[in-house]
C-alpha cells in the first residue's frame, strides 16, 4: 500500500515498514528481520522491565562501560 | 539469495524427510494438525511454568506438525476445503494457548503490566487472522502486514530459547497492531475502488 502524497525518504521508509506489502525472502524482509532481532537481543531486559530475563544485555554493558 | 531464504532452504531439508515419512505411513493431515495443537498446549504449559528452553523445544516439535500438514495433504492428494478450515481453526487454538501460558506465568509473578502486554498481543494476533479472513470474503486478497503466524511462531521460539520473551511480546504487539490497521485500510481502499468502478 503506497501513501497518496509523495513523502520524504525517512517518512516513506517508516510508512513502508509499518504498512507492509513486501513478500518473504526479499531484501526488505531481511532488513525488517534484522531490525527485529536487534531490538529483541540488544535491548537491555532491564529497560523493558522483563520479568524473566536477568542482566542488562549487550547494550547495557556498553552503556555501563561508558559510564565508568 | 536473501538470508531468510537461505534459512528457509536449510530448514526445508529435514522437513522434507519428515514429510516423506508421513506420506509413506499415510498419516492423515488432519491428524497431524490435531497432534500439533496438543503439543502446542504442552509448550504453553511449560511456558506457564517459566521453563522457556523446554517450551522452545516443544514449540519446534509442535510447529513441525503445523508446517507439514498441508504438504502431506498435497502429497497424499487429500487436500480438502475442510482440511483448510480445520487447519485455520486449530492454528488459532495453538496461538491462544501460547499466549495463555505467558499470561499465566506473568500473573503468577504478579506482573500485571506484562499480563496486559501479553493479552493485547493475543487480541491483535487473533485480529490479524480475523481481519484477513473477513476481508477475503469481500475482496480477492488481503495479504498485507508483516506480523503473520509464521513470524509470530519464530519470534516465540527466539524469545523462549534466548530468554527475551518481553522484547518478543512488544514486537508482536506493535507489529500486530500495524498489521490489523494495514488490513483494514487495504480492504477499505479496495472496496472504495470497486465502488468507484461500479459507478463509472
Amino acid at each position: 500500500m503506497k501513501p497518496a502524497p509523495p513523502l520524504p525518504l525517512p517518512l516513506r521508509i517508516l510508512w513502508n515498514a509499518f504498512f507492509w506489502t513486501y513478500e518473504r525472502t526479499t531484501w526488505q524482509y531481511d532488513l525488517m528481520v534484522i531490525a527485529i532481532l536487534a531490538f529483541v537481543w540488544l535491548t537491555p531486559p532491564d529497560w523493558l522491565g522483563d520479568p524473566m530475563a536477568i542482566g542488562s544485555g549487550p547494550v547495557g554493558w556498553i552503556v555501563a562501560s561508558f559510564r565508568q | 539469495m536473501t538470508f531468510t531464504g537461505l534459512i528457509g532452504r536449510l530448514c526445508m531439508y529435514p522437513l522434507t524427510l519428515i514429510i516423506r515419512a508421513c506420506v509413506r505411513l499415510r498419516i492423515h493431515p488432519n491428524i497431524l494438525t490435531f497432534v500439533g495443537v496438543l503439543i502446542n498446549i504442552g509448550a504453553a504449559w511449560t511456558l506457564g511454568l517459566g521453563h522457556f528452553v523446554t517450551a522452545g523445544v516443544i514449540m519446534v516439535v509442535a510447529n513441525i506438525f503445523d508446517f507439514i500438514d498441508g504438504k502431506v495433504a498435497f502429497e497424499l492428494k487429500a487436500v480438502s476445503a475442510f482440511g483448510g478450515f480445520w487447519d485455520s481453526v486449530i492454528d488459532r487454538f495453538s496461538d491462544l494457548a501460547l499466549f495463555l501460558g505467558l499470561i499465566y506465568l506473568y500473573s503468577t509473578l504478579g506482573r500485571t503490566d506484562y499480563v496486559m502486554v501479553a493479552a493485547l498481543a493475543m487480541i491483535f494476533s487473533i485480529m490479524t487472522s480475523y481481519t484477513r479472513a473477513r476481508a477475503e470474503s469481500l475482496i480477492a486478497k488481503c495479504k498485507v502486514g508483516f506480523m503473520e503466524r509464521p513470524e509470530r511462531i519464530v519470534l516465540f521460539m527466539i524469545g523462549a530459547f534466548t530468554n527475551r520473551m518481553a522484547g518478543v511480546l512488544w514486537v508482536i504487539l506493535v507489529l500486530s497492531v500495524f498489521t490489523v490497521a494495514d488490513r483494514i485500510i487495504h480492504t477499505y481502499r479496495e472496496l472504495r475502488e470497486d465502488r468507484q468502478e461500479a459507478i463509472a
Side-chain angles (χ1 to χ4, degrees), chain A residues 1-2 15 18-21 24-27 29-30 32-34 36-37 39-41 45 48-53 57, chain B residues 2-5 50 106 109 111 114 144-146 148 150-151 155 158 162-164 166-167 171 175 178 182 185-186 189:
Chain A
M1 192 182 307
K2 301 283 174 244
W15 177 273
F18 286 114
F19 291 95
W20 189 264
T21 53
R24 293 190 184 108
T25 67
T26 54
W27 68 266
Y29 187 85
D30 273 9
M32 187 68 152
V33 168
I34 291 166
I36 289 170
L37 291 180
F39 173 78
V40 169
W41 284 334
L48 297 172
D50 192 326
M52 293 297 286
Chain B
T2 59
F3 93 90
T4 46
Y106 294 137
L109 295 171
R111 291 297 300 269
Y114 270 95
V144 291
F146 180 86
E148 294 193 297
E151 284 77 19
L155 272 171
I158 288 168
T162 61
N163 195 11
R164 289 290 183 272
V171 170
L175 293 183
F178 277 100
D182 200 3
I185 294 167
H186 178 76
R189 286 185 175 179

Side-chain angles (χ1 to χ4, degrees), chain B residues 37 40-41 44-45 47 92-102:
Chain B
V37 76
N40 253 324
I41 290 169
W45 186 276
L47 275 180
R92 301 292 84 71
F93 279 116
S94 293
D95 283 351
L96 288 168
L98 294 176
F99 281 112
L100 201 61
L102 285 176

Side-chain angles (χ1 to χ4, degrees), chain A:
Chain A
M1 192 182 307
K2 301 283 174 244
L7 293 170
L9 187 64
L11 283 180
R12 204 163 62 220
I13 290 169
L14 269 179
W15 177 273
N16 288 343
F18 286 114
F19 291 95
W20 189 264
T21 53
Y22 302 105
E23 292 292 325
R24 293 190 184 108
T25 67
T26 54
W27 68 266
Q28 291 91 343
Y29 187 85
D30 273 9
L31 211 63
M32 187 68 152
V33 168
I34 291 166
I36 289 170
L37 291 180
F39 173 78
V40 169
W41 284 334
L42 300 180
T43 307
D46 295 348
W47 292 6
L48 297 172
D50 192 326
M52 293 297 286
I54 304 158
S56 53
V59 170
W61 302 331
I62 294 165
V63 171
S65 69
F66 275 112
R67 279 185 187 153
Q68 281 168 3

Side-chain angles (χ1 to χ4, degrees), chain B residues 7-189:
Chain B
I7 292 169
R9 259 195 200 183
L10 289 174
C11 292
M12 207 48 217
Y13 179 70
L15 287 171
T16 308
L17 298 177
I18 299 168
I19 292 165
R20 272 190 211 150
C22 291
V23 170
R24 198 163 287 175
L25 295 168
R26 301 197 70 78
I27 302 172
H28 198 279
N30 289 356
I31 293 172
L32 291 174
T33 310
F34 189 64
V35 171
V37 76
L38 293 181
I39 301 173
N40 253 324
I41 290 169
W45 186 276
T46 43
L47 275 180
L49 298 174
H51 305 315
F52 280 179
V53 177
T54 315
V57 173
I58 300 172
M59 270 189 263
V60 170
V61 177
N63 287 289
I64 287 174
F65 282 86
D66 250 11
F67 180 78
I68 64 168
D69 52 6
K71 310 265 188 289
V72 171
F74 179 77
E75 294 289 329
L76 286 175
K77 296 183 176 54
V79 177
S80 66
F82 178 76
F85 168 76
W86 172 251
D87 186 39
S88 302
V89 172
I90 293 296
D91 282 355
R92 301 292 84 71
F93 279 116
S94 293
D95 283 351
L96 288 168
L98 294 176
F99 281 112
L100 201 61
L102 285 176
I103 289 170
Y104 175 81
L105 171 70
Y106 294 137
S107 65
T108 54
L109 295 171
R111 291 297 300 269
T112 324
D113 51 349
Y114 270 95
V115 169
M116 285 306 293
V117 173
L120 285 169
M122 178 172 77
I123 290 168
F124 279 96
S125 297
I126 296 302
M127 287 308 293
T128 296
S129 310
Y130 180 77
T131 44
R132 183 172 171 192
R134 189 71 182 87
E136 288 182 355
S137 71
L138 302 167
I139 59 172
K141 202 136 190 73
C142 187
K143 198 173 167 17
V144 291
F146 180 86
M147 192 50 69
E148 294 193 297
R149 187 158 191 269
E151 284 77 19
R152 218 159 42 227
I153 296 300
V154 171
L155 272 171
F156 259 122
M157 289 177 195
I158 288 168
F161 282 124
T162 61
N163 195 11
R164 289 290 183 272
M165 202 52 93
V168 160
L169 279 177
W170 278 110
V171 170
I172 292 176
L173 173 58
V174 171
L175 293 183
S176 296
V177 169
F178 277 100
T179 301
V180 171
D182 200 3
R183 287 176 178 189
I184 293 170
I185 294 167
H186 178 76
T187 307
Y188 173 74
R189 286 185 175 179

